[in-house]
Amino acid sequence: MKAVVVEQYASIDQIGLKDIAMPEPAPGEVRIRVHAASIGFVDGLKVEGRYQTKDPLPFTPGAEFAGVVDAVGNDVVGIAPGTRVMGAARSGGLAEYVTVPAAAVELMPDRLSMEAAAAFRTNYLTALYALGERGALRAGEQLLVLGAAGGTGIAAIQVGKLLGARVIAAASTEAKRDYAASFGADAVIDYTEPDWRDALKQSTDGHGADVIFDPVGGEVSLQAFRSIAWNGRHLVVGFAAGTIPALPFNLPLLKGGLLIGVDAAQIARREPEALARVTAQLSAWLNDGRLSPVVGKVFAFEDFRAAFKTMQTRAALGKMVVRIV
């Protein structure tokens, strides 16, 4: 079978498609014929060996995928070959086949395309866990989404609206702001402008943001916290800008604000009850049609490098997806 194989940590230009052996499912595992896999910011860091944990070499990147069950381990029950599933794993998705524990996949709603299913889990799980569980976002509150045109940003806009918030989308270009508005943002702000905090103040009638969803980091994070409402919650999701900011401790005191970390990768181990609540809510929204996962640009398997480059240059609108079949 063909797979993207990282033999040495390197730039994506130095990574290629290779023929490797077909994996066999061990007890408790299922093998998936992958139809689509998505690429996130973490995938790019892993390829270059710059993520906080390193995958042992050689490895195949791609943490999220969708496809059809092809084979099952001898003790797997409830999942049969031919079942359409979406799943997540540490790595392995950018391949024609992947084997994962049966618990790592879930049935796909009939209405979802393979591309949408591959782009769904991490972004929307992060958004709802952040806003619902960590940020306690309430109906009628003001939600500021930084990096609003990216995969997690668009998910936060959609989830924020479903939770009843007024959503303000902050993005760096007109195209990105228009994209965010098309998915339900009530207002948009250009955070590259020196007076963008004045625009935020005006947009919230002087109230400020009750909740800030922040996958960006850098200087914009500090400025956003300076505009937080009293008792506001600033959700630290990631650092796409490449710089980790340092917050002066007097600001939380003066603002009565909370700085809250969000690491969706740890909730299965640390907060299984929260994971169950979030997963159930997302499934309900998917099945009743209230939530439609957003797919960014779709690339052919042989063009996987272009998908990484689009994501890494921050030119992406939504989440990048590679179609395997």
Side-chain angles (χ1 to χ4, degrees):
M1 72 168 193
K2 291 192 178 299
V4 177
V5 179
V6 179
E7 295 177 306
Q8 297 294 330
Y9 302 121
S11 71
I12 197 63
D13 284 326
Q14 298 172 268
I15 308 301
L17 275 175
K18 295 186 177 295
D19 288 310
I20 63 173
M22 174 84 77
E24 293 297 330
E29 291 186 338
V30 295
R31 185 172 68 200
I32 312 300
R33 176 63 168 106
V34 181
H35 284 233
S38 63
I39 294 174
F41 190 69
V42 168
D43 295 304
L45 294 176
K46 284 186 173 183
V47 166
E48 297 177 355
R50 296 192 296 119
Y51 191 55
Q52 56 195 3
T53 59
K54 288 182 169 60
D55 287 35
L57 296 168
F59 75 95
T60 292
E64 292 182 272
F65 55 86
V68 177
V69 175
D70 168 75
V72 302
N74 57 22
D75 62 346
V76 172
V77 296
I79 302 178
T83 305
R84 287 171 18 114
V85 295
M86 52 189 182
R90 180 184 177 91
S91 58
L94 283 170
E96 291 180 325
Y97 293 86
V98 64
T99 56
V100 295
V105 301
E106 57 185 298
L107 300 182
M108 280 177 55
D110 291 337
R111 57 184 292 274
L112 275 192
S113 69
M114 289 289 181
E115 292 81 7
F120 172 70
R121 182 178 173 86
T122 296
N123 286 347
Y124 289 86
L125 179 69
T126 297
L128 183 54
Y129 173 63
L131 298 176
E133 297 286 333
R134 302 291 283 159
L137 180 67
R138 297 183 291 271
E141 288 192 313
Q142 304 273 355
L143 168 64
L144 172 64
V145 178
L146 304 179
T152 53
I154 291 296
I157 291 171
Q158 292 178 289
V159 169
K161 292 299 294 181
L162 285 168
L163 294 175
R166 180 175 182 268
V167 180
I168 304 159
S172 58
T173 69
E174 184 176 2
K176 289 181 177 182
R177 293 189 292 275
D178 289 345
Y179 190 71
S182 73
F183 291 103
D186 298 287
V188 296
I189 288 175
D190 180 357
Y191 60 52
T192 67
E193 292 290 336
D195 62 347
W196 75 270
R197 289 178 57 210
D198 293 335
L200 175 62
K201 183 176 181 179
Q202 182 177 1
S203 180
T204 61
D205 293 327
H207 179 77
D210 295 295
V211 175
I212 299 169
F213 183 89
D214 181 7
V216 176
E219 179 62 25
V220 69
S221 296
L222 294 177
Q223 296 306 316
F225 196 95
R226 293 179 186 277
S227 294
I228 202 167
W230 183 256
N231 282 334
R233 290 85 75 198
H234 188 134
L235 303 169
V236 180
V237 179
F239 309 101
T243 304
I244 298 175
L247 186 72
F249 271 28
N250 66 316
L251 289 178
L253 186 152
L254 294 172
K255 295 289 185 176
L258 302 175
L259 190 69
I260 302 173
V262 177
D263 186 357
Q266 297 196 61
I267 63 173
R269 177 169 60 92
R270 296 185 179 276
E271 297 183 70
E273 298 87 358
L275 178 61
R277 287 191 297 270
V278 168
T279 301
Q281 181 63 81
L282 290 174
S283 295
W285 283 339
L286 280 176
N287 290 323
D288 68 14
R290 296 179 67 195
L291 178 62
S292 297
V294 176
V295 177
K297 189 173 182 180
V298 179
F299 297 81
F301 196 13
E302 60 269 21
D303 295 330
F304 74 91
R305 296 182 193 87
F308 274 87
K309 289 178 181 178
T310 302
M311 178 271 300
Q312 289 170 331
T313 58
R314 300 182 65 192
L317 298 176
K319 192 162 190 176
M320 302 299 96
V321 174
V322 174
R323 183 184 291 118
I324 311 295
V325 177

